[in-house]
Amino acid sequence: MRRAITVIVSLAICAGLLSGCWSQKELTDLAFIVAIGLDKTEDGKYLVTFQVVNPGNVAGATQRGGGAAGVPVSIYTSTGDTLVEASRKASEKLSRLPYYAHTNLIVVGEEVAREGLSGVLDAMERGNQLRPTAHLVIARTYLAKDVLTVLTPIDKISANQIIKTIEFSSKNWGETVHVDIWGAIHCLATAGRNLVITGVTVEGDLKRGKRQENVQSSVPDARIKLEGLALFKNDRLVDWVDGPSSRGVLWLLDCIRQTNLTVSWKGKKEAINYQVVRAKTDVKAKVKDGRPVISVHIQAEGDVIETRVPIDLSDASMLFQLEKEIKKNLKQEVEEAIETAQRDKTDVFGFGEAVHRTDPRLWKKIESKWHDRYFPELDVTVTADMYIRRTGLRNKPYTPRG
């Protein structure tokens, strides 16, 4: 009898402890926030922008072709002395409970980034809902609020479009990089490396881009565009790099997967297009005369995918000369990126980490002065091996008859 009572009591206790309904939340009571924008007001407070999904309109837009339904997202803003305060005050405008488990994008305004990201990232990391895998971008020229209010075609939710654009661009072009909250925190906590984050801006008429007509036209009045890389020193934004220099940064970070290099040939600019299909960057440090020096070696393979000049690609000597030209262009991009970072006194390449691995005792002595004294004067040697693996179906380009 005692045994039966014990079993019954145990089951009752387990049933109470394992009950899954105590924290239930109805879907109709939740506001699904997919993106957050962070700006500063004129009086120094945080201006937080919430991009909230309108589920019925997103589904309706998919079924009706995109134009007939209402807007897929709604924008709410709130201000506060801290991010948490601004988030709480949003309840004055939202009729539902803010739900951050589906937040995949954080857009940080340039002013906030220049003041420092430490406080921002601390608040995001401590939250029990916000995912540390949420993408992080910096709003350039425009406010983060402006970026999130532009309506986008194809991907109805602009946050999703920004995320997908970063992913595809970083794989195929190599001037952007994916950074999430956890990665940013890890970088800031690592000695000898500074942060690099992709920039995003608005191209076109911002006012018209906020209207539904922007997604009903084959040529939208405004588009969201990735633009440049933000270079940080400690947790503060100090400079931007664009074009080949931004790709040079990513060559040094070993983040290039595929990209294209155009080279001049016999006096004609952008004559031959070389597509990188595989790349690897090795960074090594050594100590010479008591000072650290860095050697960077880049190895890449690729294909010739376009020629605009007469060239015999079946000639091995021609291919060798072409590889030298490609190597020259690559080294120029990388050296420009190094010069920019040294001028800004910010080691975004992780050269300090390489020194730390090579000589921990020396690193302990120079760590406090690395970015301001040693890195700007650092001797960096760049070497590269570029190989042409394929030249396409035609070895000799045809010559149009005059």
Side-chain angles (χ1 to χ4, degrees), residues 104-402:
N104 293 321
L105 180 69
I106 308 296
V107 183
V108 180
E110 192 168 342
E111 185 178 353
V112 176
R114 291 191 182 277
E115 289 187 2
L117 294 182
S118 293
V120 171
L121 295 175
D122 179 85
M124 292 178 181
E125 185 185 28
R126 292 179 188 277
N128 61 351
Q129 281 191 3
L130 194 64
R131 296 179 180 181
T133 55
H135 290 64
L136 195 64
V137 295
I138 307 298
R140 188 175 183 180
T141 307
Y142 293 86
L143 296 176
K145 176 186 175 182
D146 296 333
V147 172
L148 293 180
T149 52
V150 174
L151 296 177
T152 56
I154 305 179
D155 292 296
K156 300 305 174 184
I157 300 174
S158 61
N160 292 343
Q161 175 160 326
I162 294 173
I163 293 169
K164 290 180 180 180
T165 305
I166 292 174
E167 292 175 350
F168 290 130
S169 177
S170 60
K171 290 179 181 178
N172 297 316
W173 185 235
E175 291 184 7
T176 56
V177 62
H178 158 63
V179 177
D180 55 28
I181 294 175
W182 185 90
I185 293 172
H186 177 74
C187 187
L188 291 177
T190 301
R193 180 187 291 273
N194 275 325
L195 191 58
V196 177
I197 303 179
T198 298
V200 62
T201 188
V202 178
E203 185 179 57
D205 190 329
L206 176 62
K207 291 184 178 180
R208 293 190 176 186
K210 299 177 181 180
R211 300 173 182 172
Q212 191 173 5
E213 290 79 5
N214 195 55
V215 298
Q216 296 175 335
S217 171
S218 60
V219 183
D221 294 305
R223 297 178 187 270
I224 297 175
K225 176 187 175 184
L226 304 182
E227 187 173 77
L229 293 176
L231 306 184
F232 284 75
K233 183 176 182 180
N234 297 324
D235 68 331
R236 298 174 184 268
L237 170 63
V238 294
D239 201 1
W240 291 92
V241 289
D242 298 280
S245 294
S246 63
R247 186 164 55 185
V249 171
L250 299 182
W251 276 113
L252 289 161
L253 291 174
D254 195 23
C255 291
I256 297 294
R257 296 298 170 259
Q258 292 187 10
T259 189
N260 288 63
L261 297 172
T262 54
V263 298
S264 301
W265 189 258
K266 294 184 177 180
K268 184 171 183 178
K269 295 182 178 180
E270 300 181 354
I272 299 174
N273 199 322
Y274 172 79
Q275 181 181 16
V276 176
V277 295
R278 274 182 293 274
K280 176 65 178 176
T281 301
D282 291 316
V283 176
K284 294 182 180 179
K286 61 181 180 179
V287 180
K288 184 178 181 180
D289 298 329
R291 296 182 68 88
V293 294
I294 297 292
S295 61
V296 177
H297 181 69
I298 302 172
Q299 184 172 331
E301 301 177 8
D303 308 329
V304 175
I305 62 171
E306 183 181 7
T307 60
R308 301 173 60 192
V309 292
I311 180 174
D312 185 1
L313 297 176
S314 63
D315 186 344
S317 62
M318 287 288 186
L319 291 180
F320 181 72
Q321 292 179 30
L322 183 55
E323 288 175 344
K324 289 180 64 177
E325 287 296 320
I326 297 170
K327 184 191 306 184
K328 179 181 175 182
N329 278 34
L330 170 62
K331 288 183 64 176
Q332 183 178 352
E333 288 187 1
V334 172
E335 288 169 356
E336 286 178 359
I338 294 173
E339 289 175 4
T340 301
Q342 288 183 323
R343 183 182 65 242
D344 294 327
K345 298 182 179 181
T346 174
D347 180 7
V348 296
F349 313 119
F351 290 163
E353 282 185 295
V355 175
H356 186 196
R357 291 192 300 267
T358 301
D359 194 333
R361 291 184 179 179
L362 174 63
W363 175 250
K364 189 174 182 180
K365 294 179 182 179
I366 67 176
E367 179 181 356
S368 60
K369 301 178 181 179
W370 173 251
H371 294 287
D372 293 322
R373 177 180 174 184
Y374 289 94
F375 176 72
E377 301 175 358
L378 187 64
D379 184 13
V380 183
T381 302
V382 180
T383 58
D385 291 322
M386 311 296 288
Y387 301 103
I388 297 175
R389 296 306 188 197
R390 287 165 291 274
T391 59
L393 298 178
R394 178 185 289 270
N395 286 326
K396 295 181 180 180
Y398 67 89
T399 303
R401 296 181 179 179

